[in-house]
Amino acid sequence: MTFDPHAGRHRMPVVFGPSAGPRQGPDGRTFDMSRAPRTSAAISFLTERSRLEALLPPGCELDGPPVVTVEHTMLRELEWLAGRGYNLLGVRFPVRYQGREETARGPFLSVLWENRPEPIITGREELGYAKLYCELPEPRILRGAHCYAASWDGHEFLRMEIDGLDEATPPPAPAADGVLHYRYLPAISGVAPSVSEMVISPSGGSPMRHRSFRRGTGRLAFVRSTWEQLPTMYHIVNALADLPILDITGASIAETVGAKDLSDQRVLR
Amino acid sequence: MTFDPHAGRHRMPVVFGPSAGPRQGPDGRTFDMSRAPRTSAAISFLTERSRLEALLPPGCELDGPPVVTVEHTMLRELEWLAGRGYNLLGVRFPVRYQGREETARGPFLSVLWENRPEPIITGREELGYAKLYCELPEPRILRGAHCYAASWDGHEFLRMEIDGLDEATPPPAPAADGVLHYRYLPAISGVAPSVSEMVISPSGGSPMRHRSFRRGTGRLAFVRSTWEQLPTMYHIVNALADLPILDITGASIAETVGAKDLSDQRVLR
Amino acid sequence: MTFDPHAGRHRMPVVFGPSAGPRQGPDGRTFDMSRAPRTSAAISFLTERSRLEALLPPGCELDGPPVVTVEHTMLRELEWLAGRGYNLLGVRFPVRYQGREETARGPFLSVLWENRPEPIITGREELGYAKLYCELPEPRILRGAHCYAASWDGHEFLRMEIDGLDEATPPPAPAADGVLHYRYLPAISGVAPSVSEMVISPSGGSPMRHRSFRRGTGRLAFVRSTWEQLPTMYHIVNALADLPILDITGASIAETVGAKDLSDQRVLR
Amino acid sequence: MTFDPHAGRHRMPVVFGPSAGPRQGPDGRTFDMSRAPRTSAAISFLTERSRLEALLPPGCELDGPPVVTVEHTMLRELEWLAGRGYNLLGVRFPVRYQGREETARGPFLSVLWENRPEPIITGREELGYAKLYCELPEPRILRGAHCYAASWDGHEFLRMEIDGLDEATPPPAPAADGVLHYRYLPAISGVAPSVSEMVISPSGGSPMRHRSFRRGTGRLAFVRSTWEQLPTMYHIVNALADLPILDITGASIAETVGAKDLSDQRVLR
């Protein structure tokens, strides 16, 4: 058997040797992500504090007003996918984490849908991102309105739209320690976890720069769904559909270039 | 925060509560898999012992001749997917595992491709199956020849074909302790694993029964592929393409009904 | 230029020579369709006569009660597609056609959706079938209920379901002259047509035989849709959604084998 | 029956009334295509005159050197598709047509693949474009190399690549009367056509303007394919694969905005 766990990053199946992925190329070197283009459309809304608190992971409290941000992102020209891209849809809200030894502030990424299985697998296992699969088509762009949808097996469970776009100044980088995630991997027994820990994607270190930034008017709705429609994630979509949208606090579309490979991901103590 | 890890099986994202899946319905109960139909097409071939030994997981040795079985399976009418189905392609070979406390014999499932992300996520995390994603279309059936293909992003990396089919007696259940898997989950640091263990899907307990069984003549070929074509799994496909096919030892298509939910999966000590 | 219109059936592009298709193989011979399997799920409902009369083609009147049949069909093992298959969804109702010289009775196939472009092109141009494209997934089959859907670009516009299935005697072949179609091809000018004629797929000549036939209880609904959701066929789906379902008059699932290649299609005089 | 052929453009099925499409909105008005973005990647190559002459339609001769252009185009934000887009792959070469009454010069569009069925149907029937379906993924863009592929049912039949791109001056509009097409629609009888005519998409009248234009180095190859791989178009792909590439004479990527709806398409007398 030739499996050497010190020979580089491994993912199942490991008996075939190290796996190339976002943080490891075929030759063991890392990838250049400094020119990868990204288009992100984000809508933020104020919701009820108590409803949102029900979605906090252990050790976390809301950090400021209960504002949820839903962001649709298109990544392109990714070296680790040999030039391919994929789309993402994330839901986050600001939290403060108090661990045994340290404290961290930043958006908690409660769920992140992606339309390609490979980054889902690497992201869940190597980073602890709460990634799931869904269909995320390119937006329809009709007379200035950008229309986004998320669906699974033909069932649309999110619609969001931004129009009235005008050039604006990109916001400064948020004063956050990083993006927070709750990494959880079950044990074979099915009850107690193999892994349960808060992890952070630290702020800083990214070569990201804006190519354009526009603000507009946003609308969004999660669609209440049945078990038959979404048999493995109706509970997630319905919890999000149950968050009342008290006020839309922002809507923007950003075109940026450059990212980092997240190899600085670390467990919060 | 309402997350209660004792409230049932959880998968990321866990803050939304327990996740329905193959081993847990929306009401916490398990699913009836006793009538789920399955069609499996399998081809076995003799290869070089030393080449196959290079793919053994820790603690394992080959159990008998170096015979590899490639099996394409179509699962349908699955309750946990609310009646949907999916297709699989597995590669296995017989091994004997010697653990610290126990011994087990059975096919080692070295890699299992599936064409739906949800069973991949649950299978990797809850069961330790080495599942990956690829496209697995229904077979072409042309004048009695059943033609199977596996591809990723438009690149075909496996072709297999069975023809000359005749009704035959289904083989007896193999004298195996179960199907063996090497469960491996990396740590955030990226080198040492969070989890590294042999697990077994024990034989027995399945209501599976044959509706038909046919033997025929088989051909198969893995296609050597570049990093550009398969940027996260060229090394797996190329390792399989490098296994010489010394002799085709069997080819069959079975239609069966009934399965179990694999909740008896356990770690080998 | 080598184009010889007498060398066999041609479809655009014609400069590359004759096109293989359902009625012409690569060697110019026809295909054997006598063993192609087919699964058809049909629901019939009584509607308002006047509403249905608004959908009659020129020269036609309703033939008996205003009963509409919606049928989902899965074709497999098609020789002309080298063993592939595809799914169909048709809407038909019985009419009597009075031409200048002849009369014909049979179901008028008002629209036929298919999930593969090639039979759509050949069917529209060579046969005059009113075929359109949509997604037609395999049915979900959950605890005996067969659930069908039709969608376009993620928008579901038809749901139908049959459960409570019991074996029954297949109905006798209907006393029809054939299936009727209104073939219409516009001229470049865009107003007057290049072709406008009633055509018939004559009854008889098919080697079709039943493998099973089951009757059950059916439900169906077309979903009213916007131009944004179905920009080229909202008017069709909405016209069907506007047909009141006064009574479900039948629901069945048939498994059959054998078809003909429809090369006996002819224009009604 | 309410069908009124003078009420607007109709396509099968016509009994539901006029069909919205590229040249007719839901209210009967035309669409604004003046802001629709388009990205086109084109490679031209010199081939053998006699081989190319075998692909000429009736009444045509080559106009100048036997240079073939293969162009991959991405159309986005199309009003007639309510903001959606699609991709195209065309093969053209310059011809001179001598009709009974008139003469025309311009590129003959021998075949045009598209990855969406609706423009295929409208283009074939309303315009006489020789459109067919295939998969046309977004290009992979890896370290400056743009990699394009065309496939059908998982079989890749064209690969093209452009790298070494530098900004350049867009070429002047070609001195052509328009793009030429051979419109052919079979009759039900299957031999003599219902329609057989040369049509032209006249030059001029388009609001198209360049946003960027880059020249680079190109490579392309059509892949010889079997009937099993491409059962309705192996003969087309193989005819193109048989054209020797004597010299690559140009490779460029253009980003443009604005198009016309081609309602000025006309039959050449």
Side-chain angles (χ1 to χ4, degrees):
Chain A
M1 133 91 199
T2 57
F3 168 50
D4 172 9
H6 300 288
R9 289 175 180 269
H10 286 77
R11 289 188 307 275
M12 287 185 276
V14 298
V15 297
F16 297 94
S19 284
R23 285 158 288 281
Q24 178 175 274
D27 50 5
R29 275 178 294 182
T30 55
F31 289 110
D32 177 10
M33 306 182 77
S34 65
R35 283 170 303 183
R38 172 190 301 233
T39 304
S40 294
I43 298 181
S44 297
F45 66 90
L46 185 72
T47 190
E48 279 179 21
R49 176 170 292 269
S50 62
R51 296 265 197 165
L52 197 56
E53 282 173 340
L55 302 179
L56 285 168
C60 286
E61 59 182 12
L62 288 182
D63 187 18
V67 170
V68 176
T69 298
V70 180
E71 186 172 38
H72 179 286
T73 301
M74 298 194 289
L75 299 175
R76 292 294 181 273
E77 305 183 26
L78 296 170
E79 281 209 4
W80 76 272
L81 287 170
R84 296 168 182 86
Y86 61 95
N87 299 342
L88 305 77
L89 181 84
V91 180
R92 63 178 192 258
F93 47 89
V95 304
R96 179 188 296 263
Y97 171 69
Q98 176 65 57
R100 288 186 318 276
E101 299 180 27
E102 57 184 329
T103 302
R105 296 176 60 188
F108 169 60
L109 188 54
S110 62
V111 61
L112 181 64
W113 282 280
E114 298 186 339
N115 69 349
R116 199 183 264 284
E118 290 72 28
I120 295 175
I121 292 172
T122 64
R124 290 178 70 92
E125 298 181 6
E126 296 182 1
L127 302 177
Y129 274 56
K131 295 185 175 188
L132 294 173
Y133 177 82
C134 76
E135 289 120 35
L136 290 167
E138 273 189 72
R140 283 198 297 118
I141 303 180
L142 180 60
R143 299 177 196 124
H146 294 238
C147 305
Y148 303 83
S151 61
W152 185 86
D153 204 55
H155 170 69
E156 203 169 276
F157 64 83
L158 169 77
R159 300 180 192 113
M160 70 183 235
E161 186 175 335
I162 303 180
D163 61 9
L165 287 157
D166 277 313
E167 295 292 327
T169 306
D177 299 311
V179 180
L180 299 173
H181 314 267
Y182 182 16
R183 185 175 188 244
Y184 181 99
L185 292 164
I188 289 295
S189 65
V191 178
S194 283
V195 175
S196 173
E197 59 198 13
M198 286 298 289
V199 296
I200 189 167
S201 309
S203 300
S206 170
M208 195 266 277
R209 55 197 186 281
H210 278 86
R211 293 202 302 192
S212 82
F213 186 82
R214 290 176 290 171
R215 291 194 185 280
T217 302
R219 280 169 299 286
L220 93 165
F222 283 92
V223 179
R224 280 200 69 80
S225 303
T226 64
W227 169 71
E228 285 80 4
Q229 290 167 327
L230 300 178
T232 62
M233 53 195 200
Y234 67 96
H235 66 300
I236 300 169
V237 167
N238 288 345
L240 295 171
D242 283 348
L243 293 176
I245 298 179
L246 304 179
D247 188 27
I248 299 281
T249 60
S252 61
I253 297 182
E255 294 182 85
T256 63
V257 172
K260 59 179 184 177
D261 73 0
L262 301 177
S263 58
D264 57 353
Q265 186 87 344
R266 71 179 183 84
V267 180
L268 285 168
R269 294 178 304 276
Chain B
M1 133 89 197
T2 57
F3 168 49
D4 171 9
H6 300 289
R9 290 176 178 269
H10 286 77
R11 290 188 306 277
M12 287 186 276
V14 298
V15 298
F16 297 94
S19 284
R23 285 159 287 283
Q24 177 175 272
D27 50 6
R29 276 178 295 183
T30 56
F31 289 110
D32 177 11
M33 305 182 76
S34 66
R35 285 169 301 185
R38 172 190 300 233
T39 304
S40 294
I43 298 181
S44 297
F45 65 90
L46 184 73
T47 189
E48 279 179 21
R49 176 170 291 270
S50 62
R51 297 266 196 165
L52 196 55
E53 284 173 338
L55 302 179
L56 284 168
C60 287
E61 59 182 12
L62 289 182
D63 187 17
V67 171
V68 176
T69 298
V70 180
E71 186 172 38
H72 179 285
T73 301
M74 299 195 288
L75 298 175
R76 293 295 180 272
E77 305 184 26
L78 295 170
E79 281 209 4
W80 75 273
L81 287 169
R84 297 167 181 87
Y86 61 96
N87 300 341
L88 306 77
L89 181 84
V91 179
R92 62 177 193 260
F93 47 89
V95 304
R96 178 188 298 262
Y97 171 70
Q98 176 64 59
R100 287 186 316 277
E101 299 181 25
E102 57 184 327
T103 301
R105 295 177 60 190
F108 170 61
L109 188 54
S110 62
V111 60
L112 181 64
W113 281 280
E114 297 187 339
N115 70 348
R116 199 184 264 283
E118 289 73 28
I120 296 175
I121 292 173
T122 64
R124 291 178 69 92
E125 298 181 6
E126 296 183 1
L127 302 177
Y129 274 56
K131 294 185 175 188
L132 295 173
Y133 177 82
C134 76
E135 290 120 35
L136 289 167
E138 272 188 73
R140 283 197 299 118
I141 304 179
L142 179 60
R143 298 176 197 125
H146 294 238
C147 306
Y148 303 84
S151 61
W152 185 86
D153 203 56
H155 170 70
E156 203 169 275
F157 64 83
L158 169 77
R159 300 179 193 115
M160 69 183 236
E161 187 175 334
I162 303 180
D163 61 9
L165 287 156
D166 277 314
E167 296 292 328
T169 306
D177 299 310
V179 180
L180 299 173
H181 314 268
Y182 183 15
R183 185 175 188 243
Y184 181 99
L185 291 164
I188 290 294
S189 66
V191 177
S194 283
V195 175
S196 173
E197 59 198 13
M198 285 298 288
V199 296
I200 190 167
S201 309
S203 300
S206 171
M208 195 267 275
R209 56 198 185 279
H210 278 86
R211 293 202 302 191
S212 81
F213 186 81
R214 290 176 289 171
R215 292 194 185 280
T217 302
R219 283 170 295 286
L220 93 165
F222 282 92
V223 179
R224 279 200 68 82
S225 304
T226 65
W227 169 71
E228 285 81 4
Q229 291 167 326
L230 299 177
T232 62
M233 53 195 201
Y234 66 97
H235 66 300
I236 300 168
V237 168
N238 288 346
L240 295 171
D242 283 349
L243 293 177
I245 298 179
L246 304 180
D247 188 27
I248 299 281
T249 59
S252 61
I253 296 182
E255 294 181 83
T256 63
V257 173
K260 59 179 184 177
D261 73 0
L262 301 176
S263 57
D264 56 353
Q265 186 87 344
R266 69 178 185 85
V267 180
L268 286 167
R269 294 178 305 274
Chain C
M1 133 88 197
T2 56
F3 168 49
D4 172 9
H6 300 288
R9 290 175 179 269
H10 287 76
R11 290 188 306 275
M12 287 185 275
V14 298
V15 297
F16 297 94
S19 285
R23 287 158 286 282
Q24 177 173 272
D27 50 5
R29 276 177 295 181
T30 55
F31 289 110
D32 177 10
M33 305 182 77
S34 66
R35 283 170 302 183
R38 173 190 301 233
T39 304
S40 293
I43 297 181
S44 298
F45 66 91
L46 184 73
T47 189
E48 279 179 20
R49 175 169 293 270
S50 62
R51 296 264 197 165
L52 196 56
E53 284 174 339
L55 303 179
L56 284 168
C60 286
E61 58 182 12
L62 289 182
D63 187 17
V67 171
V68 177
T69 299
V70 180
E71 186 172 40
H72 179 285
T73 301
M74 299 193 289
L75 298 175
R76 292 294 180 273
E77 306 184 26
L78 296 170
E79 280 208 5
W80 74 273
L81 287 170
R84 296 168 182 85
Y86 61 95
N87 299 341
L88 307 76
L89 182 84
V91 180
R92 62 177 193 259
F93 47 89
V95 304
R96 178 187 297 265
Y97 172 70
Q98 177 64 59
R100 288 185 318 277
E101 299 182 26
E102 57 184 327
T103 302
R105 295 177 59 190
F108 169 60
L109 188 54
S110 63
V111 61
L112 181 63
W113 282 280
E114 297 186 340
N115 69 349
R116 199 184 264 283
E118 290 72 28
I120 295 175
I121 293 172
T122 64
R124 289 178 70 93
E125 297 181 7
E126 296 182 2
L127 302 177
Y129 274 56
K131 295 185 176 190
L132 295 173
Y133 176 82
C134 77
E135 290 121 35
L136 290 166
E138 272 188 73
R140 281 197 300 117
I141 304 180
L142 179 61
R143 300 179 195 122
H146 294 237
C147 305
Y148 302 84
S151 62
W152 185 86
D153 203 55
H155 171 69
E156 203 169 276
F157 64 84
L158 169 77
R159 300 180 193 114
M160 71 183 234
E161 186 175 334
I162 303 180
D163 61 9
L165 288 156
D166 278 314
E167 296 293 327
T169 306
D177 299 311
V179 180
L180 298 173
H181 315 267
Y182 182 16
R183 184 176 188 243
Y184 181 98
L185 292 164
I188 289 293
S189 66
V191 178
S194 282
V195 174
S196 172
E197 58 198 14
M198 284 300 287
V199 296
I200 190 168
S201 310
S203 299
S206 171
M208 195 266 276
R209 57 198 184 280
H210 278 86
R211 294 202 301 191
S212 82
F213 185 81
R214 290 176 290 170
R215 291 195 186 279
T217 302
R219 281 170 297 287
L220 94 164
F222 283 93
V223 179
R224 281 199 67 81
S225 303
T226 65
W227 168 73
E228 285 81 2
Q229 291 168 326
L230 299 177
T232 62
M233 53 193 200
Y234 66 97
H235 66 300
I236 300 167
V237 168
N238 288 345
L240 296 171
D242 283 348
L243 293 176
I245 298 179
L246 303 179
D247 188 27
I248 299 281
T249 60
S252 62
I253 297 182
E255 294 181 84
T256 63
V257 173
K260 59 179 185 178
D261 73 0
L262 301 176
S263 58
D264 57 352
Q265 185 88 343
R266 70 179 184 82
V267 180
L268 285 168
R269 293 177 305 276
Chain D
M1 132 93 197
T2 57
F3 168 50
D4 172 9
H6 300 289
R9 289 175 180 270
H10 286 75
R11 291 189 304 276
M12 287 185 275
V14 299
V15 298
F16 297 93
S19 285
R23 288 159 286 283
Q24 178 174 272
D27 49 6
R29 277 178 293 183
T30 55
F31 289 110
D32 178 11
M33 306 182 76
S34 66
R35 283 170 302 184
R38 174 190 299 234
T39 304
S40 293
I43 297 181
S44 297
F45 65 90
L46 184 73
T47 188
E48 277 178 23
R49 174 169 294 270
S50 62
R51 297 267 197 164
L52 197 55
E53 283 173 340
L55 303 179
L56 285 168
C60 286
E61 59 182 12
L62 288 181
D63 187 17
V67 170
V68 177
T69 299
V70 180
E71 186 172 39
H72 179 284
T73 300
M74 299 194 290
L75 298 175
R76 292 295 180 273
E77 305 183 26
L78 296 170
E79 281 208 5
W80 75 274
L81 287 170
R84 296 168 182 85
Y86 61 95
N87 300 341
L88 306 77
L89 181 83
V91 179
R92 62 178 193 258
F93 47 89
V95 303
R96 178 187 298 263
Y97 172 70
Q98 176 64 60
R100 290 186 315 278
E101 299 181 27
E102 57 185 326
T103 301
R105 296 177 59 190
F108 169 61
L109 188 53
S110 61
V111 61
L112 181 64
W113 282 279
E114 297 186 340
N115 69 348
R116 200 184 262 285
E118 289 74 28
I120 295 175
I121 292 172
T122 64
R124 290 178 70 93
E125 297 180 9
E126 296 183 1
L127 302 177
Y129 274 56
K131 294 184 176 190
L132 295 174
Y133 177 82
C134 76
E135 290 122 33
L136 290 167
E138 273 189 71
R140 282 198 299 118
I141 304 180
L142 179 61
R143 299 178 196 123
H146 294 237
C147 305
Y148 302 84
S151 62
W152 185 85
D153 204 54
H155 171 69
E156 202 169 275
F157 64 82
L158 169 77
R159 300 180 193 114
M160 70 183 234
E161 186 176 337
I162 303 180
D163 61 10
L165 287 157
D166 278 312
E167 297 292 327
T169 306
D177 299 311
V179 180
L180 299 172
H181 314 267
Y182 182 16
R183 185 175 188 244
Y184 181 98
L185 292 164
I188 289 294
S189 65
V191 177
S194 282
V195 175
S196 172
E197 59 199 13
M198 285 299 287
V199 297
I200 189 168
S201 310
S203 300
S206 171
M208 196 267 276
R209 55 198 186 280
H210 278 85
R211 292 203 301 191
S212 81
F213 186 81
R214 290 176 289 170
R215 291 194 186 280
T217 303
R219 282 169 297 286
L220 93 164
F222 283 92
V223 178
R224 279 200 69 81
S225 303
T226 65
W227 169 72
E228 285 81 3
Q229 291 167 326
L230 300 178
T232 61
M233 54 194 199
Y234 66 97
H235 66 300
I236 300 167
V237 168
N238 288 344
L240 296 171
D242 283 348
L243 293 176
I245 298 179
L246 303 180
D247 188 27
I248 299 281
T249 60
S252 61
I253 296 181
E255 293 181 86
T256 64
V257 172
K260 60 179 184 177
D261 73 359
L262 301 176
S263 58
D264 57 352
Q265 186 87 344
R266 71 179 185 83
V267 179
L268 286 168
R269 294 177 305 274

